[in-house]
Amino acid sequence: MVTKTHKIDEADLMERKSLTFFKGLTLFANMLDKDVAPFADAAQVKTYKKGQHLYLEGEQADSFYVIRSGWLKLFHITEEGEEVNLAMITRDSITGENAIFENGRFASSAQVVEDAQILSIPHSLLKEQIRINNQLAYNMLISLVQYQRRHELQLEQYLLYSAPQRIGCFLLGLCPTLEQKDGVILNLPYDKALIASTLGMKGATFSRALNILREETGIHITGPKVVIDKMERLLNFVNGCYAHTRLPKVC
């Protein structure tokens, strides 16, 4: 009898943890457990290797996705065949849900750039629930506004700050805190070519800007490892750029 009770308690604990995770996401914030449970129950965990495509632009959206670990690149291919990097997203990000407003098709492509663990949830469930749940519909609107705001801030960064400053902002966005003044050690989350693309730079521009950033702030970069000896020096150089861009914390 005791063993049976212990198993039930364990199952209940796992359910609570799962619901807590989902309710921590903007899309499911302030929703009742009973309304979040169908999404948690339907979610399937899948592992993807670097280089795999999660979905392609124009495909029918059978699922939307929640990233548990790893990194994804969202991109668009122009009519001339040029790839435009739209965003880099990581854990606790949701992607593919906006297809509900795009005739059920993905408006961009998504590729795994660092091995990822991703939850896949049927798109039909989202479409069904959004019709009957006002909080979920409201959360969808909030997500869209936040997405638009991020792009506005990105545009502001491109217009107001130099290439070296933008790289500095990116590095500060990786820091778990800005309170530590000396000896911060970071690991770049993905390769430098993707960082350059994310910041709106060509490879040659990125290399020149990185050299200027080293000279002006004294940071050290060896492979994916970054050492910030003097945090205040870097903060002064970017001149408030970090405060406006609100880059994601990934450490």
Side-chain angles (χ1 to χ4, degrees), residues 174-218:
L174 299 178
C175 295
T177 176
L178 300 183
E179 299 304 318
Q180 185 178 348
K181 300 301 181 184
D182 301 310
V184 177
I185 299 176
L186 308 170
N187 284 305
L188 298 177
Y190 38 87
D191 66 53
K192 293 176 184 175
L194 274 176
I195 295 173
S197 177
T198 301
L199 298 178
M201 303 177 204
K202 299 294 186 181
T205 302
F206 181 80
S207 296
R208 289 193 297 269
L210 193 57
N211 286 333
I212 293 172
L213 184 66
R214 287 191 180 105
E215 293 171 4
E216 295 291 336
T217 66

Side-chain angles (χ1 to χ4, degrees), residues 147-189:
Y147 179 82
Q148 180 181 358
R149 182 58 179 152
R150 281 195 298 272
H151 280 271
E152 290 173 352
L153 290 169
Q154 186 181 50
L155 179 60
E156 177 184 319
Q157 185 190 41
Y158 291 170
L159 293 174
L160 298 181
Y161 298 99
S162 67
Q165 284 178 312
R166 297 205 300 268
I167 299 174
C169 293
F170 177 82
L171 296 179
L172 288 172
L174 299 178
C175 295
T177 176
L178 300 183
E179 299 304 318
Q180 185 178 348
K181 300 301 181 184
D182 301 310
V184 177
I185 299 176
L186 308 170
N187 284 305
L188 298 177

Side-chain angles (χ1 to χ4, degrees), residues 22 25 27-28 44 46 48 53-56 59-68 72 89-90 92-98 106 110 117-123 126:
F22 274 89
L25 304 172
L27 187 59
F28 303 107
Q44 294 186 337
K46 298 182 180 181
Y48 294 84
H53 285 88
L54 187 62
Y55 55 80
L56 294 175
E59 282 185 342
Q60 190 69 38
D62 295 325
S63 302
F64 70 100
Y65 305 91
V66 182
I67 306 174
R68 295 305 306 269
L72 264 67
I89 58 175
T90 187
D92 297 349
S93 297
I94 297 178
T95 185
E97 80 283 13
N98 291 346
F106 293 117
Q117 188 180 70
I118 297 173
L119 299 178
S120 172
I121 306 172
H123 208 270
L126 178 62

Side-chain angles (χ1 to χ4, degrees), residues 16 20 28 53 55 58 62 83 90 103 113 127 142 157 168 177 208 222 246:
R16 287 175 183 274
T20 299
F28 303 107
H53 285 88
Y55 55 80
D62 295 325
E83 181 179 302
T90 187
N103 296 318
V113 297
K127 191 172 182 179
I142 291 176
Q157 185 190 41
T177 176
R208 289 193 297 269
T222 306
R246 298 186 183 93

Side-chain angles (χ1 to χ4, degrees), residues 35-56:
D35 295 328
V36 177
F39 294 94
D41 292 341
Q44 294 186 337
V45 183
K46 298 182 180 181
T47 300
Y48 294 84
K49 294 295 184 181
K50 180 178 179 179
Q52 284 187 275
H53 285 88
L54 187 62
Y55 55 80
L56 294 175

